[in-house]
Amino acid sequence: LLLLCHAEEAAVIVSGLRNTDVFVGESATFTCELSHPGVRNVQWWLDGTPLHNNLVTEISEQDGRIHTLTLNDVACHDSGTVTFRAGPLTSSAKLLVKGISLLA
């Protein structure tokens, strides 16, 4: 019974998402670390739209605690708020995609 109670201890976010600035065509990576594995209903969002693992969007998990989102070949319209949700836990950060000036 004690083990069961301990296993139900709520996970917390140890290290949340950080605001990230990248240039058009680069990759942007966001990482969120949880205190322990086993949190269900993990989901990534960009401006309220759920993200799914594909060629452009890489979603990975390490040890069930470290959750990583990499957006490849970003464009200006990808700028927005990235949100990580794991059960009741939420962490958000801003993604700013900067264009490259042709005048430079």
Side-chain angles (χ1 to χ4, degrees), residues 18-89:
R18 296 171 191 266
N19 292 346
T20 302
D21 293 8
V22 293
F23 286 105
V24 169
E26 292 182 340
S27 295
T29 300
F30 294 87
T31 302
C32 192
E33 182 179 344
L34 303 179
S35 57
H36 50 268
V39 179
R40 295 172 190 225
N41 302 325
V42 170
Q43 179 68 63
W44 290 91
W45 306 75
L46 177 58
D47 275 348
T49 303
L51 298 173
H52 303 284
N53 215 359
N54 56 42
L55 290 172
V56 180
T57 307
E58 293 177 36
I59 298 171
S60 64
E61 179 184 305
Q62 186 180 333
D63 300 331
R65 294 175 48 243
I66 300 171
H67 297 265
T68 305
L69 167 71
T70 301
L71 301 172
N72 293 311
D73 194 21
V74 294
C76 287
H77 66 258
D78 291 320
S79 291
T81 302
V82 172
T83 303
F84 171 80
R85 283 199 188 109
L89 306 174

